[in-house]
Amino acid sequence: MKVFVLCALLATAAAWPNLGFQSDDAGGASNAQKQHDVNYMLWKVYEEMRDPAMKAIEDSFEPEGDSAHYDDDGTSIHKLMQELQQHRLLEQKHWFSLFNTRQRHEALMLYDVLEHSSDWATFTGNAAFFRKRMNEGEFVYALYAAVLHSSLTQHVVLPPLYEVTPHMFTNSEVITEAYRAKMTQTPAKIKSSFTGSQSNPEQRVAYFGEDIGMNTHHVMWHLEFPFWWDDSHESHHLDRKGENFFWVHHQLTVRFDAERLSNYLAPVEELHWEDPIHEGFAPHTMYKYGGNFPSRPDEIIFEDVDGVARVRDMIITENRIRDAIAHGYVTAKDGSKINIRDSHGIDVLGDVIESSTYSPNTQYYGALHNTAHVMLGRQGDPHGKYDLPPGVLEHFETATRDPTFFRLHKYMDNIFKEHKHSLPAYTKEELEFTGVAVDSIGVEGPLETYFEDFEYSLLNAVDDTVEIDDVEISTFVPRLNHKDFSVNIDVTNNNGETVDGTVRIFAYPRFDNNHVKFTLNEGFWNAIELDKFWVKLSPGANHIVRKSSESSLTVPDVPSFKSLIEQADAAVAGGSELHLEEFESSLGLPNRFLIPKGNSNGLEFVLIAFVSDGKADAAVENLHTNTVFNHYGHEGKYPDNRPHGYPLDRHIDDERLINELPNWSHSIVKVFNHGEHIHHH
């Protein structure tokens, strides 16, 4: 969500390095040039800079040269330079974790510097300067966050993280092979498989948690809505951030359960502080610097983690939050009461549970989610006896690899559910759309999934020198995809005039793993959101066809790092435009994950279309023309006034009310997987 802020851009001082920019936008460089610069900052981030022009800046740039180039008078750059000169920053070639308070603080100091740079020469000069001098993990995090949030970089596409820091996404066995290929200068295509073995039932759903697109989605979401975001330092407020936190993790949880159903497994049981952690986990991944990710044996009991939290404190924190839900209000720092028994309550609760800086009272309610990630991540070495590096749960890139991630989120999801079910059921007035009826919903084309090989480069995983040419080293890994289909909806508008409508499409599994039919309430809570879009309904009959590829909740795969480099280099050399608009946001789920895997018998889902009043829903002007970026918000404002998941987000007192609503319809569909695996070799 790159918010457009028109900074008063100051004329570039003559002393500033001139990189031969073509000035055609605010900030003094073309989009192609910016893309080129960001590419090279991240390419071989552990090695020497490979772009000669930018290599020259590394040492010639003077960050404190002219504070007029910063919109905070240079406050942030003076702060970071002081830390650098006093040798207080984390050294290079060392692991980095965002949940490590000091390391996060350092990464954010660099983020502030980039964020407050008012022109491109300053932004890119600082990036080149600190790339050489700061820890690589901190640098990558700060640059990703700055590119996402700075007004200078709203058209820059971030290269896929799994090709920038492949260690975080690739099994250590494969990394070792890659080093071997590099040592012998032999090109290699290495097959990756998921961690674990056939004797571990969790292995059946590893394709979900270990999918690199899923990992990227998770990390990009947390970069877009970071828990450290502080309005007093930033240019804008993140709209409905707490509610987004609830919804994105709720959807991950219900989607994971649907994958489990597809594979004849029971839904995830919630993790609890007082129960044993049944599943152990052997991550089979290693840090670039800092050894292997720690493992965790089966059936261990939660222990206090030195310097992080005690188990009993986690229980107390949880009880305070659940008390607030039962009371219907959260107590603010000053003792005043914030009502949460309304549709805005979920937003407050999300800020409290994650705990972001938006939480009204971290002193009292703690940071349940963030602390839980570290607590669980450290259970392999809770007292630091073996000096192990952070666990997979302490990085957003790797967290979903551990099946316990979903158990932890089921635990939090159930707390949110307690709140949602404490709200009054929607009334007929809150649900109906006068004069509009949904006559039918159906699917055209097969609801069929398959696996395909996905290949990505491991060039950035291996060490090298400028003198030796690269040889192609890549890995391929099976991943889920689906065949094209479309959803067809027939709507009648009896209003005698054109009206705006919001179309909301959901699907929930019809039966649980014991083949017991879900009640409407259970089904609604387990519903997967498939799409949401706006339409103009003309009087009379309307036939709506929505392709699976058009879903506003999903994004296409980002082009490979190599292709981004080639496209940007060509555009810079030819002075041409770069067209990468469709990849500018990587916030949504990968489109190939739109529907769950299903199985050879066909997993039954109830497909729902609900059409609500677009005029009442619209939080921004001209909603029906807004086809872009309906994932989580656009230019700071989430476009839909309704709560996420509306109208399925609250419990139903009387199923007849729902069944008699004219503006919704459902049908039963089956999702098939015939074990098809497409090899691209």
Side-chain angles (χ1 to χ4, degrees):
M1 195 166 46
K2 302 173 183 169
V3 178
F4 311 138
V5 190
L6 293 170
C7 307
L9 292 162
L10 304 134
T12 306
W16 229 247
N18 181 349
L19 299 180
F21 289 132
Q22 310 145 254
S23 261
D24 61 5
D25 77 355
S30 68
N31 288 330
Q33 181 69 49
K34 290 177 179 180
Q35 183 70 50
H36 164 277
D37 294 356
V38 170
N39 287 344
Y40 281 99
M41 295 293 174
L42 292 163
W43 181 249
K44 296 187 187 285
V45 72
Y46 294 100
E47 314 286 339
E48 279 180 50
M49 167 63 75
R50 290 301 201 263
D51 183 70
M54 287 164 74
K55 189 156 176 51
I57 312 174
E58 276 180 359
D59 294 314
S60 62
F61 184 74
E62 290 173 24
E64 295 179 285
D66 182 353
S67 54
H69 287 276
Y70 298 97
D71 61 20
D72 64 348
D73 286 335
T75 311
S76 48
I77 189 61
H78 299 321
K79 200 166 114 189
L80 180 57
M81 284 303 284
Q82 194 180 353
E83 297 281 321
L84 178 70
Q85 282 147 5
Q86 294 174 356
H87 306 293
R88 285 221 290 266
L89 299 176
L90 179 66
E91 72 266 26
Q92 292 194 325
K93 315 276 191 264
H94 187 289
W95 55 261
F96 158 72
S97 167
L98 188 66
F99 289 107
N100 177 304
T101 315
R102 171 64 195 178
Q103 294 179 0
R104 175 173 71 247
H105 181 63
E106 292 180 10
L108 293 183
M109 282 195 276
L110 176 56
Y111 162 80
D112 282 339
V113 168
L114 298 172
E115 198 58 20
H116 290 296
S117 299
S118 357
D119 53 72
W120 188 244
T122 311
F123 186 104
T124 196
N126 277 309
F129 180 87
F130 287 105
R131 180 189 191 276
K132 189 176 176 178
R133 292 165 178 82
M134 274 182 81
N135 172 272
E136 302 87 350
E138 293 182 350
F139 173 80
V140 170
Y141 186 82
L143 186 59
Y144 266 72
V147 168
L148 277 175
H149 293 286
S150 165
S151 56
L152 295 172
T153 44
Q154 62 204 31
H155 299 299
V156 172
V157 174
L158 283 162
L161 261 173
Y162 47 82
E163 291 191 329
V164 176
T165 52
H167 278 74
M168 300 293 262
F169 299 89
T170 314
N171 286 0
S172 34
E173 294 84 349
V174 173
I175 296 282
T176 310
E177 282 280 308
Y179 274 110
R180 198 173 296 135
K182 179 72 188 178
M183 299 290 282
T184 55
Q185 283 297 93
T186 322
K189 253 187 209 190
I190 307 156
K191 181 179 183 345
S192 274
S193 48
F194 299 116
T195 52
S197 71
Q198 295 293 310
S199 56
N200 176 4
E202 291 298 320
Q203 176 64 17
R204 292 185 224 162
V205 284
Y207 64 83
F208 186 80
E210 292 184 30
D211 184 274
I212 52 176
M214 167 60 71
N215 304 145
T216 307
H217 159 65
H218 189 228
V219 78
M220 293 315 262
W221 188 89
H222 281 282
L223 274 161
E224 210 48 90
F225 296 99
F227 60 84
W228 46 260
W229 186 272
D230 183 346
D231 284 8
S232 60
H233 299 155
E234 305 290 348
S235 52
H236 63 287
H237 179 77
L238 295 176
D239 192 29
R240 290 168 67 168
K241 177 165 166 292
E243 185 186 5
N244 286 339
F245 170 77
F246 150 67
W247 186 246
V248 76
H249 292 94
H250 171 69
Q251 283 294 300
L252 282 186
T253 309
V254 298
R255 282 176 171 277
F256 186 58
D257 275 347
E259 298 299 343
R260 296 178 72 85
L261 273 179
S262 301
N263 291 286
Y264 309 101
L265 292 169
V268 163
E269 283 175 35
E270 69 171 16
L271 194 66
H272 201 264
W273 305 111
E274 292 161 302
D275 298 337
I277 309 168
H278 299 304
E279 282 102 20
F281 181 56
H284 284 261
T285 32
M286 60 203 229
Y287 283 94
K288 171 98 176 157
Y289 301 106
N292 289 308
F293 275 93
S295 295
R296 179 186 66 244
D298 285 349
E299 303 298 343
I300 62 168
I301 307 289
F302 267 109
E303 284 191 52
D304 298 348
V305 176
D306 297 2
V308 177
R310 292 179 299 203
V311 175
R312 67 170 189 254
D313 296 334
M314 300 305 287
I315 296 168
I316 291 168
T317 299
E318 174 198 338
N319 289 339
R320 287 173 178 177
I321 292 169
R322 293 180 59 192
D323 272 351
I325 293 169
H327 282 306
Y329 63 83
V330 162
T331 309
K333 272 195 194 76
D334 62 3
S336 62
K337 295 177 179 175
I338 301 166
N339 174 39
I340 57 170
R341 203 157 280 166
D342 58 16
S343 56
H344 175 64
I346 186 75
D347 196 38
V348 178
L349 200 57
D351 289 333
V352 163
I353 287 177
E354 177 173 28
S355 136
S356 64
T357 54
Y358 288 3
S359 170
N361 193 347
T362 40
Q363 214 103 33
Y364 186 67
Y365 296 110
L368 188 65
H369 167 264
N370 293 352
T371 315
H373 265 262
V374 182
M375 285 288 282
L376 189 53
R378 293 286 169 87
Q379 287 305 311
D381 186 21
H383 309 298
K385 182 178 172 184
Y386 306 108
D387 193 23
L388 295 178
V392 287
L393 283 145
E394 295 173 72
H395 304 274
F396 291 127
E397 296 95 319
T398 51
T400 60
R401 298 177 76 103
D402 187 338
T404 323
F405 167 87
F406 295 100
R407 305 194 59 173
L408 184 64
H409 275 283
K410 178 69 75 88
Y411 157 71
M412 283 178 255
D413 199 48
N414 284 342
I415 299 176
F416 283 122
K417 183 181 185 176
E418 220 164 282
H419 161 71
K420 280 288 193 179
H421 287 183
S422 74
L423 301 174
Y426 287 118
T427 60
K428 192 164 176 250
E429 292 67 43
E430 290 172 304
L431 294 170
E432 62 188 359
F433 184 3
T434 315
V436 171
V438 179
D439 307 313
S440 70
I441 174 171
V443 177
E444 194 176 318
L447 288 182
E448 201 177 310
T449 65
Y450 58 91
F451 283 90
E452 62 178 12
D453 291 338
F454 175 64
E455 188 179 342
Y456 63 97
S457 164
L458 294 178
L459 275 180
N460 287 339
V462 295
D463 305 293
D464 67 5
T465 58
V466 185
E467 295 77 36
I468 299 174
D469 286 339
D470 283 330
V471 288
E472 286 302 319
I473 305 173
S474 64
T475 181
F476 60 96
V477 61
R479 62 174 192 177
L480 189 66
N481 205 337
H482 58 81
K483 300 191 171 165
D484 287 331
F485 64 91
S486 49
V487 176
N488 297 351
I489 306 169
D490 284 303
V491 184
T492 308
N493 169 13
N494 298 315
N495 285 308
E497 58 174 3
T498 300
V499 292
D500 292 341
T502 313
V503 182
R504 302 162 190 278
I505 305 176
F506 298 92
Y508 67 81
R510 195 170 172 211
F511 301 100
D512 70 11
N513 57 308
N514 296 318
H515 209 71
V516 176
K517 206 174 185 174
F518 275 139
T519 63
L520 264 188
N521 274 319
E522 291 166 333
F524 280 12
W525 186 256
N526 282 291
I528 291 169
E529 186 178 20
L530 293 176
D531 207 346
K532 173 160 66 181
F533 57 98
W534 288 271
V535 285
K536 286 238 176 258
L537 298 168
S538 21
N542 292 261
H543 182 62
I544 299 164
V545 177
R546 182 76 167 178
K547 292 192 187 117
S548 55
S549 57
E550 294 171 326
S551 169
S552 68
L553 307 172
T554 64
V555 290
D557 281 323
V558 180
S560 71
F561 202 164
K562 213 171 161 193
S563 131
L564 285 175
I565 289 178
E566 284 163 3
Q567 291 183 56
D569 287 1
V572 169
S576 56
E577 285 295 307
L578 196 58
H579 286 293
L580 295 166
E581 290 81 2
E582 61 176 316
F583 307 111
E584 278 170 22
S585 161
S586 42
L587 242 197
L589 219 86
N591 186 273
R592 50 195 179 72
F593 262 19
L594 185 60
I595 55 174
K597 176 179 149 277
N599 52 41
S600 53
N601 299 327
L603 190 65
E604 285 190 49
F605 282 85
V606 179
L607 183 67
I608 293 175
F610 184 87
V611 179
S612 55
D613 183 345
K615 211 178 217 72
D617 296 344
V620 295
E621 298 287 303
N622 299 324
L623 203 49
H624 61 283
T625 61
N626 168 17
T627 52
V628 292
F629 214 95
N630 297 328
H631 309 316
Y632 294 105
H634 186 52
E635 296 191 27
K637 187 91 177 117
Y638 189 73
D640 180 14
N641 273 323
R642 301 289 186 178
H644 285 311
Y646 165 86
L648 313 187
D649 60 321
R650 296 192 186 180
H651 72 107
I652 302 150
D653 288 337
D654 187 343
E655 295 195 356
R656 286 173 305 188
L657 170 65
I658 293 283
N659 290 327
E660 288 161 14
L661 270 184
N663 54 318
W664 87 298
S665 179
H666 69 279
S667 64
I668 310 285
V669 296
K670 286 183 174 187
V671 181
F672 288 95
N673 179 289
H674 297 300
E676 191 179 345
H677 192 130
I678 297 171
H679 297 279
H680 302 290
H681 295 294

